[in-house]
Amino acid sequence: MDALRRHTLLIIVLGSLVISLAMGLRHGFGLFMEPMSSDLGWGREVFAFALALQNLIWGLSQPFSGALADRFGAARVVAAGGLLYALGLAMMGGSDSALGMSVSAGLLIGLGLSGTTFSVILGAVGRAVPPEKRSLAMGIVSAAGSFGQFAMLPGTLGLLEWLGWSAALLVMGGLAALMVPLGGMLRDRPSPRQASDLSLRAALDEAAGHRGFWLLCLGFFVCGFQVVFIGVHLPGYLVDNGIAVQVGGTVLALVGLFNIVGTYTAGWLGGFLSKPRLLTWLYLIRGVVITIFLVVPLSPASAYLFGIAMGLLWLSTVPLTNGIVASVFGVRHLSMLGGIVFLFHQLGSFTGVWLGGYFYDLYGDYAVVWKIAILLSVAAAALHWFIDEVPVKRQASTGAEA
């Protein structure tokens, strides 16, 4: 195996490990909503707002983390993100006020996630892998995040039952600290500057004037709304309907397990089929799955089937969405442009998780937000139908790097 192939494999393996930890730890946050809210005398909106803030901070800081990774490489960004993530979990374990929860679970973990998840890692992978294999490689790394969700969620539930929520969060902070040395080894190579490369400002102007870029952003808003609302509020929704809390943990684990299959398959299909068309069908099927879940009688079996079906569709959007950005705009500013698209995902995440807590406290159930999630599926499917992934045409002298 030559040096270039070894380097590429190392990027994929290390990136997979970092995303597995970052996404696996985050995926279990919904299990803490009920015990923390009960012990500390909060309504669910306090916890929901902190996680909504986390997603908002994650999204707002993602373009800047991505731009730093594009220029200096991913290693420093991932290591700094892992440190903030670990600190946020440790402080979350000691939170006893709404402010402490917002600073720890919201601000610090949000910043940590921006340096340890998809835009930064997939940008490094996109630079390391040949174009014809890029979608598949992104699918593999995204699937690793799904494996982390599946593998770590039962452990999170076990820690919660064994140690209680405070000590469990401290242990999770120790696991998050492992991302610091892993990030230090992630020595990706920023794309060498070419005479025809766009400057950062020119790349932003180019994307801002591209209709498909904004359609992609709006579609990813829907993805964030749906997955974070479900990931945070589904355990509570099941408990409210007389389903044991362990069932909610198992459902989220099934989401992670079957997302491995779904995300890998989406990345593979994106290598030879239209990525925008695949996204259209993905969002339509999501809407159908949510509708069926709400109309059939609720039981542990129906919840498990919902977890399996949603898992196949969960992060399948990620390699396809980032693949479209790379196909249209190239990889020179991939982490930054992917970060802007991801910002819209996180705006959707903020809206979904916060509205879930708000309407629950207002009406005592999640009926309104479930209906919004279904309508948004139809809207996202329509948006992606009009996206064209043809590379932009540039004049060699336009916007060149100084």
Side-chain angles (χ1 to χ4, degrees):
M1 183 182 295
D2 59 40
L4 181 59
R5 290 179 62 190
R6 286 197 301 270
H7 172 74
T8 300
L9 181 60
L10 183 64
I11 293 291
I12 292 174
V13 170
L14 290 173
S16 296
L17 290 172
V18 170
I19 282 188
S20 293
L21 281 169
M23 297 303 294
L25 291 167
R26 172 183 175 270
H27 197 56
F29 287 163
L31 299 175
F32 290 83
M33 179 171 65
E34 195 282 327
M36 289 187 71
S37 298
S38 296
D39 288 355
L40 298 170
W42 298 338
R44 290 189 183 179
E45 189 180 359
V46 172
F47 188 97
F49 177 79
L51 291 199
L53 180 62
Q54 175 192 112
N55 285 282
L56 183 61
I57 295 295
W58 182 4
L60 289 172
S61 58
Q62 191 66 81
F64 300 99
S65 298
L68 290 172
D70 284 331
R71 181 164 186 178
F72 301 110
R76 296 175 184 175
V77 176
V78 172
L83 185 61
L84 290 170
Y85 203 142
L87 180 60
L89 282 166
M91 290 182 61
M92 184 178 171
S95 295
D96 59 3
S97 66
L99 178 60
M101 187 69 179
S102 294
V103 171
S104 58
L107 177 61
L108 292 176
I109 295 180
L111 290 172
L113 283 164
S114 75
T116 56
T117 47
F118 293 108
S119 296
V120 171
I121 300 298
L122 293 184
V125 171
R127 289 187 287 270
V129 177
E132 66 275 10
K133 297 181 180 179
R134 188 177 293 143
S135 182
L136 177 59
M138 288 182 175
I140 292 171
V141 177
S142 299
S146 307
F147 177 77
Q149 293 176 2
F150 166 69
M152 297 186 69
L153 196 63
T156 300
L157 182 59
L159 287 172
L160 187 57
E161 293 176 340
W162 177 39
L163 300 173
W165 61 265
S166 182
L169 287 167
L170 294 177
V171 174
M172 291 167 65
L175 292 173
L178 295 175
M179 289 186 281
V180 176
L182 288 172
M185 295 186 285
L186 190 68
R187 301 291 182 181
D188 77 302
R189 300 164 182 166
S191 299
R193 293 184 179 181
Q194 305 294 330
S196 59
D197 279 343
L198 294 180
S199 66
L200 180 62
R201 175 62 183 271
L204 288 169
D205 289 343
E206 181 180 74
H210 194 281
R211 184 190 68 168
F213 182 78
W214 292 112
L215 294 177
L216 201 63
C217 289
L218 292 173
F220 223 26
F221 174 95
V222 175
C223 180
F225 184 102
Q226 293 173 331
V227 300
V228 178
F229 164 68
I230 292 171
V232 173
H233 290 285
L234 182 63
Y237 172 77
L238 295 176
V239 169
D240 291 344
N241 286 275
I243 307 295
V245 66
Q246 291 81 2
V247 173
T250 303
V251 171
L252 294 182
L254 287 170
V255 169
L257 176 62
F258 282 87
N259 193 26
I260 299 171
V261 178
T263 306
Y264 176 84
T265 302
W268 172 67
L269 290 173
F272 56 89
L273 295 177
S274 167
K275 295 184 227 7
R277 296 295 183 270
L278 288 171
L279 285 166
T280 289
W281 285 107
L282 190 153
Y283 282 107
L284 280 177
I285 296 169
R286 265 195 198 174
V288 171
V289 168
I290 295 172
T291 302
I292 292 173
F293 175 63
L294 295 177
V295 299
V296 302
L298 185 61
S299 67
S302 70
Y304 294 147
L305 289 173
F306 177 71
I308 291 170
M310 284 303 299
L312 293 171
L313 307 167
W314 195 253
L315 295 181
S316 302
T317 58
V318 173
L320 298 175
T321 300
N322 283 273
I324 292 172
V325 175
S327 296
V328 174
F329 301 104
V331 299
R332 180 69 182 88
H333 298 288
L334 176 56
S335 293
M336 185 269 295
L337 293 177
I340 294 174
V341 177
F342 189 75
L343 167 60
F344 281 79
H345 183 283
Q346 296 311 98
L347 291 173
S349 299
F350 175 90
T351 306
V353 71
W354 177 70
L355 283 182
Y358 175 77
F359 280 118
Y360 182 88
D361 285 350
L362 189 63
Y363 298 119
D365 60 40
Y366 294 110
V368 173
V369 190
W370 282 119
K371 292 174 183 176
I372 293 172
I374 294 169
L375 292 174
L376 287 176
S377 278
V378 178
L383 290 171
H384 286 91
W385 187 262
F386 296 102
I387 294 175
D388 189 349
E389 59 178 318
V390 174
V392 294
K393 294 181 180 180
R394 299 168 180 156
Q395 297 180 357
S397 60
T398 301
E401 299 272 11

